[in-house]
Amino acid sequence: MRLPYAPNTPPSEGDNTTETTEIYSRIAARRHPRPLIPLDLSLLHSPPVADGWNSFLGAIRTRTVVDLGLLELAVCRVAVLNGAVYEWNAHAPLALKGGVTPAELQACRSLPCTAEGDENVSALESSVLTARQRAVLRYTDQMTRTIKVEEAVFAQLQREGFTDREIVELTTGIAGYNCVSRFLVALDVGENNDREMKSVEELMAALK
């Protein structure tokens, strides 16, 4: 990591120790029973930012109604597009647990970006992904690479039956994890930038 990690426990002295201790506690409560992760210990150099981050991402992860498999597929696609190894390795197993098949996850990893050529859209349309997954992938590609989303791509989400709430949650999830990936890569959180993303085979073996 380009910075030292913050301590695993809050400081016992200094300014705003009570507030900082409460922030540590809120983040630890969301991670429980796991310990704080390298991302947390990077953000905790600025406790107020870490607190807001925890609240925002926590809401996306635990208080949304959009299908978990589709949300995690979008997060994994963001990781692929942005070269965020840490993000892929953390979220690809969650996609599998959320019902994404190994073949679908591999397609998410290997398909070329649909925001960069009609031939790439054709490759997506002939892939193993379901119609709803294809709609999510195209939306993710455009949000991540071109920022502006074409009307046809947005309309496809609605045709596939996503509700207004689900679209808002999917959009905030994609935007939020673009933020996460940029933070991870810029600071090399977890020392993953020079590593390869885990293969789908590796991920499947680890889940057994």
Side-chain angles (χ1 to χ4, degrees), residues 1-7 38 41-43 45:
M1 227 266 281
R2 285 177 162 168
L3 298 173
Y5 291 106
L41 299 178
S42 304
L43 289 161
H45 281 294

Side-chain angles (χ1 to χ4, degrees), residues 91-148:
H91 287 271
L94 300 178
L96 292 168
K97 290 178 182 178
V100 177
T101 69
E104 291 164 349
L105 186 61
Q106 182 58 44
C108 171
R109 177 171 176 168
S110 60
L111 283 168
C113 181
T114 58
E116 298 172 351
D118 292 341
E119 68 278 5
N120 296 346
V121 177
S122 298
L124 173 68
E125 292 302 320
S126 61
S127 72
V128 299
L129 297 175
T130 68
R132 283 169 68 82
Q133 290 172 334
R134 293 197 301 271
V136 168
L137 225 68
R138 286 200 70 187
Y139 191 57
T140 304
D141 284 2
Q142 291 201 350
M143 277 192 64
T144 302
R145 283 289 174 84
T146 59
I147 315 303
K148 291 184 178 180

Side-chain angles (χ1 to χ4, degrees), residues 39 53 56-57 60 71 75 78 82 87 143 168-183:
L39 175 58
W53 187 292
F56 176 49
L57 272 298
I60 291 172
L71 178 61
V75 174
V78 169
N82 292 339
E87 191 168 59
M143 277 192 64
V168 167
E169 292 175 350
L170 184 63
T171 303
T172 53
I174 295 166
Y177 279 96
N178 262 288
C179 174
V180 173
S181 67
R182 284 160 168 77
F183 184 87

Side-chain angles (χ1 to χ4, degrees), residues 1 3 11-12 27 35 49-50 55 64 71 92 117 142 149 170 172 179 193 195 203 208:
M1 227 266 281
L3 298 173
S12 58
I27 296 172
V49 171
S55 178
T64 52
L71 178 61
Q142 291 201 350
V149 175
L170 184 63
T172 53
C179 174
N193 283 357
R195 301 178 185 176
L203 295 166
K208 290 180 180 179

Side-chain angles (χ1 to χ4, degrees), residues 44 69 74 84 206:
L44 279 164

Side-chain angles (χ1 to χ4, degrees), residues 148-182:
K148 291 184 178 180
V149 175
E150 297 171 359
E151 288 293 340
V153 171
F154 183 80
Q156 187 63 31
L157 292 175
Q158 296 174 314
R159 282 197 296 273
E160 290 301 328
F162 288 93
T163 65
D164 291 352
R165 176 172 175 172
E166 288 172 325
I167 290 173
V168 167
E169 292 175 350
L170 184 63
T171 303
T172 53
I174 295 166
Y177 279 96
N178 262 288
C179 174
V180 173
S181 67
R182 284 160 168 77

